[in-house]
Amino acid sequence: MSNGVKETFHQLVFGDSRDLSEIPPESVDLVVTSPPYPMIQMWDELFGRLNPEVAATLRGQDGSAAFELMHAELEKVWGHLWRVLKAGGWVCVNIGDATRRIGKNFQLYSNHSRITLCLLRQGFQSLPVILWRKQTNAPTKFLGSGMLPAGAYVTLEHEYILIFRKGEKRPFVTPPQIANRRGSALFWEERNAWYSDVWDFKGIRQSLGQPVSRARSAAFPFELAYRLVNMYSVRNDRVLDPFLGTGTTMFAAMAAGRDSIGVELEPGFAEVIEGQLARLPQLANERIAERLEGHAVFMAAYEARKGASPHRNRHYGFPVVTSQETDLILEVLRDITRESDGRYRVSYDRLELPG
Ligand SMILES: C[S@@+](CC[C@H](N)C(=O)[O-])C[C@H]1O[C@@H](n2cnc3c(N)ncnc32)[C@H](O)[C@@H]1O
């Protein structure tokens, strides 16, 4: 806070997240990230740069060895997470498996199980995962001999969001901690949709209208990061994305009133990120307006069915379903200031409703 105005702080680092030693121990509350996907062709060149042996094994048509070498590079990043996270902190990893023919061999490369194993070995608790369903209607989606059993393979139409926690549940003990957690509450109807284990973003606005196409940047939707940040952290927490790409996690943290740090190997993304930052206040505030509107529509239907709710939000006076939503506060993003060295300061106003 400065002059009573809430602020959050964000740091964008162009560098290699295999070395996160600059990030102090136990300084991060939540990691939201999506690494390059091993054995998906668009990332071969990058993995080849991280370890030239990858390219050699691919040329030698040894898929299993290439898969292991690629994951060995990712493990150098995962290896820092335990140290930088606070006790009770969360890790959310968006990852897809790969199917690929190498020589005569067509097979599944199970990235999600490989990463799960790695984090379990470090001591993380694995918690129920979310399937992000990415339906494709491409006519070529069926592989193999389609109508004739038994030679066809099912199509991969989902990705994973793997969820891990460092140890036991995070305690909220002091009155300010408890108040901040209550202020960070979700609406009941949001909780019901967001804590489902299948997400499908059909019909939900997904991006900032990225100038680089999602296919080229492999960006995940803004909504994906926004939900995870709101579900697994509280306001003013610090969120890390060690594979920041086009900056989506940082934007979600800004929109949700959290601090963030993002690390990205390719300096070429700087311009894309800067361009999107200019549009972020509008997007973040539209998302808040959407949440409010969604809540009003939901409550009208809910109260028509069940009668008036006994609970009202203390700040805004509108009805809510549970007592856990009575202290929920929404903040409007006012301004993003660029400081030196990839640092950004974001200021907010508390949302005021007319009347
Ligand atoms: C799947 S993309 C992440 C996309 C991101 N979630 C977004 O919404 O734009 C993976 C990113 O990790 C970056 N990357 C790969 N290896 C890295 C490393 N060792 N250090 C930092 N960034 C790395 C890639 O350049 C790429 O931008």
Side-chain angles (χ1 to χ4, degrees):
M1 300 278 252
S2 94
N3 306 324
V5 175
K6 168 169 166 163
E7 291 179 328
T8 59
F9 299 91
H10 306 267
Q11 193 182 356
L12 172 55
V13 179
F14 285 102
D16 189 335
S17 53
R18 289 176 297 178
D19 179 5
L20 293 179
S21 53
E22 298 276 296
I23 302 182
E26 312 216 335
S27 62
V28 169
D29 300 279
L30 168 66
V31 175
V32 172
T33 198
S34 182
Y37 294 6
M39 301 310 281
I40 295 278
Q41 230 145 353
M42 78 174 276
W43 297 113
D44 284 0
E45 190 269 334
L46 180 134
F47 279 112
R49 262 190 286 145
L50 298 179
N51 178 356
E53 269 185 66
V54 168
T57 50
L58 283 173
R59 274 196 305 277
Q61 303 199 331
D62 188 346
S64 303
F67 175 74
E68 283 306 319
L69 288 172
M70 291 177 188
H71 277 283
E73 295 312 306
L74 297 185
E75 276 183 23
K76 293 175 185 165
V77 182
W78 309 139
H80 288 276
L81 300 188
W82 185 272
R83 183 185 62 80
V84 301
L85 269 169
K86 296 181 190 168
W90 294 86
V91 180
C92 304
V93 181
N94 165 226
I95 185 77
D97 289 340
T99 45
R100 184 152 173 184
R101 183 177 300 286
I102 305 255
K104 288 197 174 136
N105 219 350
F106 177 83
Q107 74 171 76
L108 175 78
Y109 293 93
S110 183
N111 289 322
H112 85 278
S113 25
R114 190 67 177 66
I115 293 172
T116 302
L117 206 63
C118 170
L119 271 82
L120 283 175
R121 282 192 183 130
Q122 284 185 53
F124 282 102
Q125 271 176 249
S126 183
L127 288 150
V129 306
I130 298 164
L131 292 186
W132 169 21
R133 197 162 155 69
K134 305 176 82 179
Q135 224 156 7
T136 155
N137 292 319
T140 52
K141 76 176 187 175
F142 294 106
L143 302 167
S145 52
M147 311 320 137
L148 302 175
Y153 315 110
V154 300
T155 334
L156 288 184
E157 295 187 15
H158 67 275
E159 292 193 6
Y160 295 84
I161 300 166
L162 308 174
I163 316 268
F164 305 92
R165 194 176 59 211
K166 181 176 170 181
E168 292 302 309
K169 271 190 188 166
R170 166 181 180 179
F172 293 89
V173 181
T174 64
Q177 284 172 346
I178 294 167
N180 186 42
R181 185 190 197 193
R182 288 187 63 83
S184 311
L186 312 176
F187 289 121
W188 189 79
E189 65 279 8
E190 289 176 335
R191 193 219 55 158
N192 292 344
W194 297 5
Y195 283 88
S196 153
D197 67 350
V198 182
W199 286 1
D200 180 340
F201 294 120
K202 238 186 291 162
I204 296 175
R205 180 173 163 169
Q206 294 193 24
S207 69
L208 303 166
Q210 273 117 330
V212 174
S213 77
R214 295 245 316 281
R216 264 187 52 219
S217 66
F220 47 43
F222 173 80
E223 182 65 17
L224 181 149
Y226 185 71
R227 286 186 187 183
L228 294 173
V229 166
N230 279 292
M231 291 162 69
Y232 295 105
S233 68
V234 294
R235 291 184 313 148
N236 308 312
D237 272 359
R238 193 174 198 215
V239 182
L240 164 69
D241 187 344
F243 299 103
L244 187 68
T246 57
T248 317
T249 302
M250 191 172 89
F251 304 145
M254 288 174 166
R258 276 69 166 168
D259 292 342
S260 74
I261 172 160
V263 185
E264 170 54 46
L265 197 60
E266 307 287 357
F269 280 123
E271 215 176 300
V272 177
I273 293 172
E274 278 289 332
Q276 310 232 58
L277 274 176
R279 301 190 49 219
L280 187 67
Q282 189 194 341
L283 174 99
N285 296 337
E286 279 173 9
R287 188 68 188 88
I288 301 245
E290 243 173 53
R291 290 180 67 184
L292 282 170
E293 208 181 295
H295 180 66
V297 170
F298 172 81
M299 281 312 295
Y302 180 89
E303 291 194 312
R305 261 193 346 267
K306 303 227 177 203
S309 168
H311 304 291
R312 294 206 159 254
N313 181 278
R314 190 162 71 78
H315 307 290
Y316 307 119
F318 52 57
V320 288
V321 175
T322 65
S323 63
Q324 291 184 357
E325 300 153 83
T326 51
D327 292 340
L328 179 157
I329 303 171
L330 293 167
E331 288 158 340
V332 184
L333 203 159
R334 181 202 285 181
D335 193 29
I336 302 176
T337 315
R338 187 180 202 284
E339 309 202 307
S340 58
D341 296 345
R343 284 171 204 271
Y344 299 88
R345 186 155 42 91
V346 180
S347 59
Y348 306 80
D349 293 315
R350 184 179 280 206
L351 174 79
E352 304 287 346
L353 293 180

